Amino acid sequence: MAAPGENLRINADRLWDSLMEMAKIGPGVAGGNNRQTLTDADSEGRKLFQKWCEEAGMTMGVDTMGNMFMTRPGTDPNALPVYMGSHLDTQPTGGKYDGVLGVLGALEAVRSMNDLGIKTRHPIVIANWTNEEGTRFAPAMLASGVFAGVHTQDWAYDREDAEGKTFGDELKRIGWVGDEEVGARKDKMHAMFELHIEQGPILEAEGKDIGVVTHSQGLSWTQVTVTGKDSHTGSTPMPMRKNAGLGMARILELVDEIAWSHKPHAVGAAGHIDVYPNSRNVIPGKVVFTVDFRSPDLAVIQDMEKRLKEGAKKICDDMGLGVEFEKVGGFDPVTFDEGCVTAVRNAAERLGYSHRNIISGAGHDACWINKVAPTAMIMCPCVDGLSHNEAEEITRDWAKAGADVLFHAVVETAEIVE
């Protein structure tokens, strides 16, 4: 099979216009987006994506987790589909590109195939995976995890947001419960490619156009609950306080110390913190926070988890505080498929884009799909490596380069029919 010619490129202006149009749905307060999963804005974004895909001649399937699958037929009815895509949901203060570039870059690849009259032997499917971010319903990559058999659907449906609303109820409320059995497609995938912004500073700092993602860091989310006793900040003597907030502070120092002990690749912090009763003149009686540890080495993650539990328990015992731990998310380090990774690298070289191998520091739907189908990722730079922030930014040229490489890798894998 001949590789696609280097003259085959996507329409950069059309891709950029689509990104800007989608960004109008669920606008943030500082130029980004707040299109959290299973909100009305999420539903509106899905409908726009559906409209665009159907205009491009694709047909839609939706499974019982709300995952959207838009299909462009191939010439061989027995050939397994090649998938591409990412997610349309955002963080509460998210940017316009995280996840969205992978979905709309995939749409642009299909539009460009149509423009160029390209036919492929394998069907091509664009996926929009539900609740990748995990900010409203933990854990992250929830629906792709159910699809891959990592979680059960019943368990996922019971996940609650901060207001006690369940995933299942909200999915039904916005009208995106599909009729496909979740995971029914997992044994019928030829390959999967996900385009994403790097969410880190390496590609921009080194002047590289493309990150060829060979691995993804493993992730561990442990929710820690520290309990003390609510009391008045002014009238409670220092020796008589049971300050859950102080206990958390000491545990977070421990988290930082543990991560530094495994430098340079391990990281750790707490991003989600709830303090109760969260009043200016009340010593916190309870805090709930999630410790996020990551490393490309599973043994390191396991060591960090162990040291967190042992160290936090000692801190709380010494302070007369209670402590509980719950593993609320995580996955082992991922090695992406060598054949798919080679297709990405070859595409970048064929197109003349500078590139380097890279390890993803964030979790992505591709990490779960890699368990059931050959999978790889493509990354483009983002300004200052900033993501999960409304100031997240990429250039039109970076978006074009990433989508060009996705286009070539997918067309080559799906096999052009002359």
Side-chain angles (χ1 to χ4, degrees), residues 98-144:
D98 175 356
V100 185
L101 175 64
V103 177
L104 299 187
L107 171 60
E108 177 52 38
V110 167
R111 286 169 165 171
S112 296
M113 291 177 209
N114 292 345
D115 292 346
L116 298 165
I118 292 174
K119 296 180 180 179
T120 58
R121 187 172 80 83
H122 293 261
I124 291 172
V125 177
I126 304 176
N128 170 38
W129 302 103
T130 303
N131 192 40
E132 191 274 351
E133 292 291 1
T135 185
R136 185 178 178 201
F137 301 100
M141 303 124 61
L142 181 63
S144 58

Side-chain angles (χ1 to χ4, degrees), residues 126-341:
I126 304 176
N128 170 38
W129 302 103
T130 303
N131 192 40
E132 191 274 351
E133 292 291 1
T135 185
R136 185 178 178 201
F137 301 100
M141 303 124 61
L142 181 63
S144 58
V146 176
F147 180 93
V150 178
H151 313 302
T152 67
Q153 180 171 285
D154 287 346
W155 181 84
Y157 271 21
D158 287 341
R159 298 303 90 200
E160 294 185 357
D161 68 6
E163 297 178 351
K165 297 176 181 178
T166 67
F167 178 97
D169 286 346
E170 286 295 275
L171 182 63
K172 182 178 180 180
R173 182 189 67 80
I174 67 167
W176 282 93
V177 181
D179 55 10
E180 285 189 21
E181 179 186 354
V182 65
R185 296 168 174 256
K186 70 181 180 182
D187 297 322
K188 303 172 185 177
M189 301 176 73
H190 185 61
M192 162 80 180
F193 294 88
E194 181 173 0
L195 168 62
H196 209 280
I197 64 172
E198 181 192 355
Q199 300 180 280
I202 297 171
L203 295 176
E204 184 190 29
E206 296 187 3
K208 300 295 185 183
D209 302 313
I210 296 293
V212 181
V213 185
T214 59
H215 298 77
S216 178
Q217 284 187 324
L219 175 151
S220 167
W221 280 357
T222 300
Q223 182 171 284
V224 183
T225 302
V226 177
T227 52
K229 185 177 182 179
D230 302 358
S231 58
H232 198 291
T233 56
S235 57
T236 308
M238 295 301 288
M240 299 178 68
R241 299 180 178 215
K242 292 190 176 181
N243 187 342
L246 180 59
M248 178 184 67
R250 291 178 179 171
I251 292 170
L252 293 185
E253 281 194 330
L254 173 66
V255 167
D256 196 62
E257 176 187 317
I258 291 170
W260 273 103
S261 74
H262 288 291
K263 64 183 182 183
H265 297 301
V267 293
H272 163 252
I273 297 173
D274 289 320
V275 179
Y276 302 92
N278 201 26
S279 176
R280 289 181 177 84
N281 59 351
V282 181
I283 296 167
K286 183 173 81 167
V287 292
V288 181
F289 56 101
T290 302
V291 174
D292 182 324
F293 281 136
R294 305 188 190 210
S295 169
D297 186 333
L298 179 58
V300 168
I301 291 176
Q302 292 169 338
D303 177 73
M304 292 195 292
E305 289 176 331
K306 179 174 180 287
R307 288 168 60 188
L308 168 66
K309 290 180 179 178
E310 292 175 350
K313 187 176 186 310
K314 185 178 187 309
I315 288 169
C316 291
D317 285 349
D318 290 347
M319 297 179 66
L321 302 170
V323 63
E324 296 178 354
F325 307 94
E326 180 186 359
K327 184 75 172 283
V328 292
F331 53 85
D332 293 348
V334 171
T335 300
F336 287 113
D337 178 76
E338 184 175 348
C340 291
V341 169

Side-chain angles (χ1 to χ4, degrees), residues 15-23 31-33 35 86-91 94-105 133 194-199 364 380-383 386-396 398-399:
L15 170 58
W16 196 257
D17 288 346
S18 298
L19 289 166
M20 295 305 105
E21 191 67 23
M22 183 63 74
N33 280 106
R35 195 169 51 246
S86 191
H87 62 97
L88 291 174
D89 69 311
T90 75
Q91 290 282 332
K96 298 188 288 286
Y97 312 100
D98 175 356
V100 185
L101 175 64
V103 177
L104 299 187
E133 292 291 1
E194 181 173 0
L195 168 62
H196 209 280
I197 64 172
E198 181 192 355
Q199 300 180 280
H364 301 281
C380 76
C382 59
V383 174
L386 186 65
S387 182
H388 288 189
N389 187 304
E390 293 200 56
E392 172 186 285
E393 192 59 74
I394 66 174
T395 71
R396 188 181 304 234
W398 290 344

